[in-house]
Amino acid sequence: MRVRGLLLAAAALPAAALATPAAAQTAAAPAAAQSGQSMDELRGELREARGEIAEQRQRLDAQDARIRALEGRLNMMAGNAAPGQPAQPGQAPGTAPVQVAQGSAAPPAGVEHVGEAPQPRIEVPQVPVLGDQGAVITRAGQFTFEPSLEYVRSDRNTALFRGVSVAESLLIGVFDISETHQDLLTAATTLRYGVTNRLELSVRAPFVYRFDSEVLTPVANAPGANTQSEGFTDKAYRLGDVEFDARYQITPARADRPFVIGTLQVVAPTGSNPFGVPRDSQGRELRAATGAGFWGVTPGVTAILPTDPGVLFGSLSYTHNFARNENTQIPPVLITHVDPGDSFALSLGIGLALNQRTSINFGYSHSWILGSHSTVQLLAPQPNDPNLPVITATRDLQLGRFLFGISYRVSDKTTINWALEVGATADAPDIRTTLRIPITFGS
């Protein structure tokens, strides 16, 4: 209050000074008439008095601008505006409203600008759908709980040959047609925490229900063919591979360039190992696996570019899977060492806001998985068999997926996201659909 009073007193001084020339002009008129001054002399004194008034007015305007600047700085130092006092339209938070006299198109001449107007804060655009493709950083102090439900369907029809290859054009053995179906239902819980406005840590724990079915049908009239088709099924329900993620916003928020976010993901082999599940005498799985069986590390980078009313996003990542020793019998061989293939992934997409609550996303994702290498040896080697162990390699896989998603913001804290992926290559799953509901807590 004391500072406010001093400021008001400072404003009153120029006003008193402004009134002095006017009073002197009024009192000078009768005196001039009695003293016999000429009309020209009176006009000159009048012009001089008006000039003094204009000069005092400019000083008053400058003093008023200085007071407004001081008030703005005091408000910023005191923690912005008082509680319950809304900012005026177009007014930056923490600054006093600037009043301009009616009829003036520009600030008065001689007014000195104090400081710079605060730059508007650029908010990182939210991409709620396809979160694993272009998600943004959780704000500092916020905690997000995200339950999700995912369903994956894969169908495969392949031709198998069991026998001996004598030459490129001569095969002695049995041809079979294998038809496999896989249903994967995953209920996951993800916890995210914003350590700072640029660093986020998260963990995801999935519970997997997997059901596999296979029908093995011999080709009709093939030499040595079986007379009937064989069917096999296996299923499992247990914890999958737990994921740990760290994301850091590399570039500051700028409206003229993309927001770049660095990511690091670590996958722990907490699910059942495909090389450790029980098998029958033919090497077929009696229980499906719910994990990959290997540790994996995935560094990556995500770029998000706001283009009102849409958002462009893209990500690039590399996954390294660590090799491990095994002791798995799949007749007629024993697997002693497995080095799973690494992979590269690239995704691009766009998000469009339909209104303040609803948005849609379109995109494409492609993964190139390098072939794995296994060290094997025969369980019952014969004298004429080649020197073992040997290293076998599988072919590379190309997984292309078309992406589509819809997001609906229920409130400032809750959003419902639904995403759909459709396989674009033969190696990719036929369909994947995910429902996620992130709920944010904290300021």
Side-chain angles (χ1 to χ4, degrees), residues 166-364:
V166 177
E168 294 183 0
S169 59
L170 178 61
L171 300 175
I172 302 175
V174 178
F175 287 95
D176 292 331
I177 300 299
S178 175
E179 180 181 350
T180 60
H181 307 278
Q182 183 183 93
D183 295 281
L184 203 64
L185 186 63
T186 303
T189 299
T190 303
L191 304 177
R192 297 190 181 94
Y193 179 72
V195 181
T196 67
N197 285 332
R198 302 179 70 171
L199 176 63
E200 173 195 284
L201 301 178
S202 65
V203 59
R204 178 178 182 268
F207 292 87
V208 179
Y209 172 78
R210 175 177 171 180
F211 181 82
D212 294 353
S213 62
E214 179 182 3
V215 177
L216 193 63
T217 305
V219 176
N221 300 325
N226 299 324
T227 58
Q228 297 182 9
S229 298
E230 297 179 273
F232 311 95
T233 60
D234 53 71
K235 59 183 179 180
Y237 175 70
R238 59 162 296 170
L239 179 68
D241 290 343
V242 177
E243 303 172 3
F244 302 91
D245 292 84
R247 297 190 295 159
Y248 180 78
Q249 182 177 329
I250 300 174
T251 60
R254 292 282 300 273
D256 57 345
R257 66 181 60 178
F259 305 97
V260 180
I261 300 173
T263 62
L264 180 64
Q265 181 185 81
V266 177
V267 178
T270 54
S272 57
N273 184 357
F275 294 94
V277 297
R279 298 175 181 271
D280 61 13
S281 59
Q282 301 297 320
R284 301 187 184 95
E285 295 180 353
L286 299 177
R287 186 174 66 242
T290 60
F294 303 92
W295 283 90
V297 176
T298 305
V301 62
T302 297
I304 304 173
L305 177 63
T307 57
D308 189 36
V311 174
L312 298 175
F313 61 89
S315 64
L316 179 66
S317 63
Y318 168 77
T319 299
H320 174 69
N321 296 307
F322 293 88
R324 59 180 293 176
N325 295 325
E326 299 290 347
N327 187 25
T328 303
Q329 295 184 11
I330 302 180
V333 299
L334 171 67
I335 301 175
T336 59
H337 184 79
V338 177
D339 184 6
D342 296 344
S343 64
F344 302 88
L346 172 68
S347 64
L348 298 170
I350 182 173
L352 299 174
L354 301 181
N355 51 51
Q356 294 183 349
R357 292 184 177 271
T358 308
S359 63
I360 58 176
N361 288 254
F362 302 93
Y364 177 78

Side-chain angles (χ1 to χ4, degrees), residues 108-127:
V111 176
E112 180 181 359
H113 295 279
V114 180
E116 295 182 358
Q119 297 294 330
R121 180 176 178 179
I122 306 297
E123 294 290 343
V124 179
Q126 298 292 326
V127 186

